[in-house]
Amino acid sequence: MTPGATTTDGRGGGGSRAAATPAPSPAPAPAPARPRRRAGRSAPYLFVLPALLLFAAFKLYPIAWSFLLGLHRTVGGTETFVGADNYVRLADDPLFWTALRNTGVILAVQVPLMLALATGLAVALDSTLLRGRPVFRLGFFLPMVTGLVAYGIVFSVLLNEEYGLVNWLFGLVGVDPVPWLTEGMWARISLGLALTWHYTGYNAVILLARLQTIPAELYDAAAVDGAGALNAFRHVTLPGLRPALLLTTVLSTIGTLQLFDEPYVLTGGGPDNATLTIGVYLYRNAFTYFDFGYASAIAYALTVLVGVLGLIQFRLLGEKS
Amino acid sequence: MTTRHPGRSIMLTSGLAIALAAVAVPFYWLAVGATHSSQEIFDSPPPLLPGGHLAENLASLRETADFGRVVLNSLGIATVYTLLAGAVCTLAGYGFATYRFRGREALFGLLMLGLVVPAQITLVPLFKLMAELHWLNTYQAVIAPNLALPFGIFLMRQSMAALPQELLDSGRMDGCGEFRLFLRVALPPMRPALAALALFLFLYQWNDFIWPLIVLRDSATFTIPVALASLQGLDETDYGAILAGTAIAAVPMAVVFLALQRHFVSGLLAGAVKE
C-alpha cells in the first residue's frame, strides 16, 4: 500500500537541503546549516498538520466522547452515569436484534449477489468482444453519482404498489401487483434492488481496474494447457481479482452495516421494522427520542461489529494475496 | 487469444445493452416524472413520455420549500467544502507521500482509521459539539467535521507518490522553499488527480444526507437532500415537485460527471486498487 515509501527512499540525506527557505535566521554566517535543517524537518509536519488537527477535533475526540456517553443515561437533557446499563439494555432489546438481523440478511444475500454481478459485469466490460466499451463503463457507473436521497425517492415512486411503473409493467404481462414497500419481505427485496442498482457499477469498475493488471500471458498459458473459458475464469481471473474482491467485500460490508439513507427514504425502516437497520435505529434513538447515551451504545456495538467482520474478511480473503 | 467471434460479440454487446437500459430506467423515469403533475404521475397507465408541468413543479417547489434558497445553500456549501477539504487533503497527501518523517506511518494509519470506524459513532457527540459551539443551523456545522476526509487524503497520497523525487530536488536546488515547491512544482502535474478529488468532494457534499439532516433544523438552511426528504414526509406529498427537485439534484451532477469522468474514474481507481 505504500508506493510513497519507495519514492521517498531515494532521498537519503537530502533532508538538509530541503530548507533553502529564506527563513529569518538569526544565526551568524559561519553556521547557517542548523536552523535551516530544523526548518526542513518541520516542513512535513506543517503539511499534515491541518488534517491531523481537524481529524483530532472532529473524529478522535467525538469517538472518545461517544464511549463516555454510552456509559450514561440521558433523561430530559441531564446525564447520569449508569455504567454498562445501556449495553445490558441493548442485549435485551428486541428492536436492536431485529435491526441486526435485517442488516445480516442484506449482508448475506444482497452483498454476495451484487459482487457476483459486479464480477460478471467487470469481465464483460473487459472483454475484447464488447463493442463501445467506454459507453458501457460510464453508463454502469452513473448510478453511483446520484445521491442516496434522490434515488430513494425515485425508487419509492417507481415501486408504488398501486400506481408505480413497475407494477403497471407487471400488469401488462399478467402478474399481480407486488406490495414492494408495504410487505416485509418485499420491502427487503426492494431495498436490495435499490442498493444493487446504485453500487454494482461502482464495484465493477474497481474490479475492472484490477482485471486489467492480470497479464495476458496467463490467459495464453491457460489456453495452451487446454483450459476453456470457465477454467480460465476459475484459475486465472478469480485469483487475480482477489485483492480487489477483498476491497469491494470490505467496503460493501462497512457500507451495509452503516446503512441509513436508503431505508430512511425508501421505507422509513418499515413496514413493521422489516427494513430497520442499525443505522436507522441509532438515528431514531438519538434524534427522535434524544436518548444520546443509548444511541452511543448502539454506535459502539456497531463499531465492534464492523471491526470483527472486517478482521474475518481479511483473514479469509487476504491471506493468499 | 482473441479470435474473431462476430456472433458472440453481438450477443455480449446486446446483452449488456439490455442490462444498461434497465439501469437507465430510473434516470429516464426521473426525467419524465419531473415534468408531470402529481396526479399524472400516479395515473394508470403511468406517463412514459415527458409532460408539460416542469415549470409548475418548479414553482411549487419554490413555494413549499423555498427551493431557490435550498439550491444556493447546496451550491455554496459544496463549493466551499470542496475548496477547503481539497486543500486539507492535498496538503496532507503531499506531506505523507513525499517526505520521510518520524511517525509518518503511525499518523497516516491513524487517519485511515477514519475509513473503517463507522461514521455513526461520531454523530451524537458531534451534534452536541455543534450545539455547544452554537453552530446548529449554520453552514460551517455541515462543512467543518468532514474536511479531513480520510479517503481524500488516501487518494492524494497515492497520486502524489507518483511525483518524481528528482523534480522536487531540482526545485530545491533552485532555491525554492518547501511550500512554494508544493505550489509551483508538485501541484501542476497533479491537475488530473486534483480534478478527480474536487469532483469526488463536491459529489460527496452535494449528496450527503444524514449529517446535514442532523445539524440543519431550520428549513432556510436546508440542503437539497434534506429539503427533498422533508417534502416527502408531508401528508400531501407533491410528487411532481419532489421529482423535479430530485432531477435538479441528480441531473447536473450526472452531466458534470460525464464531462469529467475520465479524470474521475482513473483518479478514484488510482486510489482504490493500488494497495
Side-chain angles (χ1 to χ4, degrees), chain B residues 8-41:
Chain B
R8 280 162 68 183
S9 171
I10 289 167
M11 258 171 60
L12 182 68
T13 306
S14 46
L16 269 199
I18 291 168
L20 186 60
V23 167
V25 165
F27 281 112
Y28 176 74
W29 198 84
L30 173 59
V32 170
T35 59
H36 284 275
S37 70
S38 246
Q39 214 157 12
E40 290 169 350
I41 288 168

Side-chain angles (χ1 to χ4, degrees), chain B residues 22-181:
Chain B
V23 167
V25 165
F27 281 112
Y28 176 74
W29 198 84
L30 173 59
V32 170
T35 59
H36 284 275
S37 70
S38 246
Q39 214 157 12
E40 290 169 350
I41 288 168
F42 295 117
D43 265 351
S44 190
L48 297 175
L49 293 171
H53 284 82
L54 181 61
E56 198 178 300
N57 286 337
L58 291 176
S60 153
L61 263 183
R62 285 187 62 179
E63 226 168 86
T64 46
D66 195 3
F67 212 69
R69 172 82 191 261
V70 166
V71 171
L72 285 182
N73 286 342
S74 264
L75 273 176
I77 288 174
T79 306
V80 173
Y81 174 78
T82 302
L83 291 175
L84 293 180
V88 171
C89 294
T90 308
L91 283 169
Y94 177 77
F96 282 117
T98 61
Y99 293 102
R100 252 177 123 55
F101 54 93
R102 187 178 295 203
R104 184 180 72 159
E105 292 306 318
L107 290 174
F108 186 71
L110 189 69
L111 287 173
M112 289 309 107
L113 206 66
L115 280 177
V116 201
V117 176
Q120 273 107 336
I121 203 169
T122 60
L123 286 183
V124 168
L126 272 181
F127 173 75
K128 296 189 89 158
L129 184 65
M130 295 301 144
E132 277 173 24
L133 292 170
H134 299 287
W135 276 12
L136 292 181
N137 291 317
T138 65
Y139 301 130
Q140 65 264 33
V142 183
I143 292 169
N146 290 314
L147 285 178
L149 198 69
F151 184 71
I153 296 167
F154 177 72
L155 206 64
M156 280 298 103
R157 182 182 132 136
Q158 296 289 63
S159 308
M160 294 279 190
L163 278 173
Q165 196 62 35
E166 299 78 46
L167 188 71
L168 300 177
D169 282 340
S170 71
R172 289 193 178 100
M173 291 227 272
D174 292 343
C176 198
E178 289 302 295
F179 188 68
R180 261 193 41 184
L181 191 70

Side-chain angles (χ1 to χ4, degrees), chain A residues 205-222:
Chain A
V205 172
I206 293 180
L207 293 168
L208 177 63
R210 178 72 200 183
L211 219 47
Q212 289 169 341
T213 65
I214 300 176
E217 296 88 65
L218 285 181
Y219 287 103
D220 296 342

